[in-house]
Amino acid sequence: MTRELGKRYDPQAIEPRIYQRWLEAGIFHAAEDSPAEPYAVVIPPPNVTGVLHLGHALNNTLQDLLIRYRRMLGDNAMWLPGTDHAGIATQNVVERELLKEGLSREQLGREAFLERVWRWKEDNGSRIIEQLKRLGCSCDWARERFTMDEGLSRAVTEVFCRLYEAGLIYRGEYLVNWCPRCGTALSDEEAIPKETQGHLYRIRYPLEGAEGQYLVVATTRPETMLGDTAVAVHPEDERYRELVGRTVVLPLLGRRIPVVADPYVDRAFGTGCLKITPAHDPHDFEVAERHGLPRINVMTPRRRSTRRAGRTGGWTASRRASGCWPTSRRRGCWRASSRTPTTCPAASAAPRCWSTG
């Protein structure tokens, strides 16, 4: 009996059958008691919410080449597969489902929400694994892991504790990108700079002990002045050289803060005087580290003012933004404002969360 070859290669009709034969034969499994030379590759885990793209295809093809080559050499080769939890992306997917039911994660509560997230992962998390199989990846599927598995979580905790006890890592205060809607920290890749139209405000900071004298600070975010701990000028700026080391009075709160000299200041921007808010700007944080300045947090995780923000404590961000400058104007600290394009975060405007915009 003869079979006629098709006019073109049809991977859908051929490859799943061959791959299934490989799985049934167990040829991807690495035995723990094998006397052969061990060789292992841990897959960079793709997000459980994602789908494979060309980058995944290239990356996993190279890994597969290495693993198959070492098997051909007779090594006990293991390619450990798994998926990453993609916490923020998963959270947003589940929250959209809850929204269809008229619910929010706050209404559901932490434990019930976590249960829904795990249920979603079990129902939908296999898509990317099936795509890896369709690529022909020779992973040891019996060992598939998920980054939030209990065993892996214990291992992470153990490693961090050992590193801390050995003095190789430390715990300290630092700035993170924070999304008040998602309620979580974001990596720099997830905090998207966004060009916006904003105002450049000029505010007078009175010089202590010098009646009628001021330093005029230009800023695009006057509402953060409540957390200021210094005013910085460039060390080579002749206009302000004699004022370095003096003290100015922070409008609205009356806090006394120093004038410091730092090369980070752009003399050509605004007035050449830069307000330093270490707890709310990464560049200001570094300036504060160099000069030993305190860090005053004036915002809660939900963007309301803390008690350290004076009379604005408990205010929302929008109310704080609209309420600071009228008070400054009444007290004679307001100089002027002008419309200017600003680019986040370089112009001190907050970057946006990739998932909420």
Side-chain angles (χ1 to χ4, degrees), residues 101-268:
E101 303 171 22
L103 294 171
S104 68
R105 74 173 188 272
E106 289 81 9
Q107 290 173 311
L108 210 57
R110 179 181 175 83
E111 295 304 319
F113 181 70
L114 283 175
E115 185 179 330
R116 285 289 294 262
V117 171
W118 277 104
R119 193 190 316 160
W120 183 92
K121 183 263 176 184
E122 295 302 322
D123 293 341
N124 301 279
S126 62
R127 176 171 55 171
I128 204 161
I129 292 297
E130 292 305 313
Q131 289 180 314
L132 287 171
K133 291 179 178 179
R134 286 292 290 116
L135 279 178
C137 294
S138 60
C139 298
D140 191 344
W141 296 111
R143 290 186 165 95
E144 181 188 339
R145 301 303 297 266
F146 178 56
T147 48
M148 294 298 286
D149 285 347
E150 184 178 350
L152 294 183
S153 296
R154 282 202 313 270
V156 169
T157 302
E158 176 67 23
V159 168
F160 268 84
C161 287
R162 288 186 186 183
L163 291 172
Y164 179 80
E165 290 164 359
L168 298 175
I169 60 174
Y170 65 93
R171 184 176 183 179
E173 282 191 338
Y174 199 73
L175 291 193
V176 296
N177 300 304
W178 181 262
C179 176
R181 196 211 69 82
C182 297
T184 189
L186 306 172
S187 70
D188 288 344
E189 288 75 20
E190 293 165 324
I192 310 300
K194 186 174 182 180
E195 185 170 312
T196 61
Q197 288 290 321
H199 286 83
L200 185 62
Y201 301 92
R202 291 173 172 82
I203 306 171
R204 291 170 171 165
Y205 284 51
L207 271 167
E208 188 176 40
E211 188 70 27
Q213 295 186 42
Y214 304 87
L215 271 184
V216 179
V217 172
T219 178
T220 58
R221 296 174 65 198
E223 67 273 16
T224 64
M225 66 189 288
L226 303 170
D228 287 359
T229 59
V231 171
V233 297
H234 196 280
E236 297 177 2
D237 195 330
E238 296 288 347
R239 296 173 294 174
Y240 306 115
R241 181 172 291 176
E242 293 183 0
L243 298 179
V244 175
R246 297 277 299 275
T247 300
V248 295
V249 180
L250 179 65
L252 303 184
L253 295 182
R255 183 188 305 138
R256 281 147 181 79
I257 58 178
V259 179
V260 300
D262 195 276
Y264 169 68
V265 179
D266 181 358
R267 286 175 282 182

Side-chain angles (χ1 to χ4, degrees), residues 91-109:
Q91 172 182 317
N92 282 309
V93 169
V94 175
E95 283 194 90
R96 283 196 292 270
E97 290 186 354
L98 288 175
L99 192 61
K100 295 175 184 176
E101 303 171 22
L103 294 171
S104 68
R105 74 173 188 272
E106 289 81 9
Q107 290 173 311
L108 210 57

